[in-house]
Amino acid sequence: MFRALRVETSGTAPVTRLVELTDDDLMPGDVTVDVEFSSVNFKDGLALAGKPGVIKDYPLIPGIDLVGTVAASASPEWSAGDRVIVTGWGIGETHDGGLSERARVRSEWLVRLPEHLTASRAAAIGTAGFTAMLAVLALENGGVDARSDGDVVVTGAAGGVGSIAIALLARSGHTVVAATGRGSEHSDYLRALGASDILDRDELAASGKPLQSQRWAGAVDSVGSTTLASVLAQTRHGGVVAACGLAGGADLPTTVMPFILRGVTLAGINSVFAPTSARTEAWERLASDLDAATLDEMTTTIPLADAPQLAEQILAGRVRGRTVVDVRA
């Protein structure tokens, strides 16, 4: 028997329950993992709160990432005892996820836990940190480095993606501007991560001209909508904007002008179906580039049973940094 949080339908409204299951309840896959840690991301908040759009069929165990040890494997690529990470690939959406003491997954979804990264810190990084690293790599591949003319802006700065993006960018030498709606509340936190300045998100949230004063060499945006449109309009010639979220909306009220008159690149970040080569590179970079003490400072750990109570706080934007779930606590 093992414990898991499972979202089930009760009448018309999904309900999250802490249940006991057996291996017979696990979904198909060729690798079984003893899960040690998961985390609570924005998608998990939606799923745990019973909101539509994340879980495609019920019942389902939420949790879009997990870290643990292989218990059994039918794949020649993996053996019992291997330390592994799984993010994306539909876990917590179409396939049982990480908010459970045990999971069965497909072998091609696994990434080996880097040697110098602990399981709890890997969970603290999780999908949010992996997404942030993919965004940083997109900026680097587009030619945005610490010598670029202009600052790098990070929107949704106090969230999981934003927090880790700031830490990564600042450590590599960028001047980082953190855009947040709670500057007075989070100023000290964001500056401790490495932000050089704090920008009120309202300055980016209003519709403006399709081309504005050039401010940013690059950007990591997890908000979308008019915020992303404003960032694009303010990005310098040849700059790169990595878009990885839609907390502010899925629309994009912009024009082609930033792209054809300034050569701005809009790089979409899809961490769910990133290929194994990109995953391996990102996790190795996270293990080497992300300061462990900084990661620890932005991380809170909770037991499995407390995850549902955190959902509404995450959806309301009242949680900053990263929340790790110790599934065995």
Side-chain angles (χ1 to χ4, degrees):
M1 301 287 288
F2 61 89
R3 297 181 310 147
L5 285 173
R6 190 165 67 174
V7 183
E8 305 170 344
T9 50
S10 177
T12 58
V15 176
T16 300
R17 294 189 173 94
L18 183 63
V19 297
E20 286 196 346
L21 303 173
T22 71
D23 282 7
D24 292 338
D25 297 305
L26 293 172
M27 284 186 165
D30 56 349
V31 177
T32 301
V33 179
D34 285 331
V35 183
E36 298 168 40
F37 298 98
S38 186
S39 68
V40 183
N41 301 275
F42 189 78
K43 277 186 177 180
D44 301 319
L46 289 169
L48 289 165
K51 306 293 185 182
V54 175
I55 292 179
K56 305 303 188 287
D57 195 19
Y58 299 94
L60 195 86
I61 298 170
I64 63 171
D65 48 36
L66 64 86
V67 184
T69 302
V70 173
S73 174
S75 166
E77 301 296 322
W78 301 97
S79 303
D82 287 342
R83 308 277 280 164
V84 296
I85 303 166
V86 184
T87 63
W89 298 115
I91 68 167
E93 299 180 70
T94 59
H95 191 96
D96 282 337
L99 291 174
S100 170
E101 294 177 335
R102 204 160 172 87
R104 185 177 292 138
V105 296
R106 293 172 57 174
S107 54
E108 58 265 33
W109 298 349
L110 302 178
V111 175
R112 202 169 300 277
L113 180 69
E115 183 177 351
H116 300 297
L117 188 63
T118 66
S120 60
R121 284 179 176 148
I125 293 169
T127 294
F130 172 58
T131 302
M133 188 73 248
L134 291 178
V136 171
L137 289 170
L139 266 58
E140 291 179 1
N141 293 336
V144 179
D145 59 27
R147 297 166 295 177
S148 298
D149 184 16
D151 302 338
V152 175
V153 64
V154 177
T155 68
V161 174
S163 295
I164 294 180
I166 290 169
L168 289 167
L169 289 164
R171 198 175 192 203
S172 65
H174 288 282
T175 301
V176 184
V177 176
T180 180
R182 298 168 290 167
S184 59
E185 180 182 350
H186 294 314
S187 177
D188 291 344
Y189 167 76
L190 295 169
R191 290 185 186 279
L193 294 179
S196 298
D197 200 6
I198 312 298
L199 179 69
D200 192 306
R201 69 182 177 196
D202 288 344
E203 294 188 38
L204 298 173
S207 299
K209 295 179 180 179
L211 286 180
Q212 301 171 28
S213 297
Q214 299 183 54
R215 303 178 67 180
W216 319 119
V220 175
D221 175 68
S222 61
V223 179
S225 193
T226 53
T227 295
L228 177 54
S230 295
V231 169
L232 288 166
Q234 296 172 12
T235 298
R236 291 177 176 270
H237 189 276
V240 180
V241 177
C244 57
L246 42 67
D251 61 315
L252 182 55
T254 189
T255 72
V256 298
M257 293 173 69
F259 311 114
I260 65 174
L261 296 183
R262 289 185 181 163
V264 172
T265 296
L266 176 58
I269 306 300
N270 183 344
S271 64
V272 176
F273 296 111
T276 300
S277 57
R279 291 172 184 273
T280 301
E281 179 186 8
W283 279 103
E284 289 297 335
R285 283 287 301 273
L286 285 160
S288 63
D289 293 8
L290 185 59
D291 180 70
T294 301
L295 179 63
D296 292 346
E297 283 295 318
M298 72 173 81
T299 301
T300 302
T301 301
I302 62 173
L304 181 63
D306 287 0
Q309 286 70 48
L310 194 70
E312 293 293 347
Q313 296 180 49
I314 284 185
L315 300 185
R318 296 196 298 269
V319 176
R320 71 185 185 191
R322 297 288 293 140
T323 302
V324 169
V325 180
D326 182 345
V327 302
R328 300 190 175 274

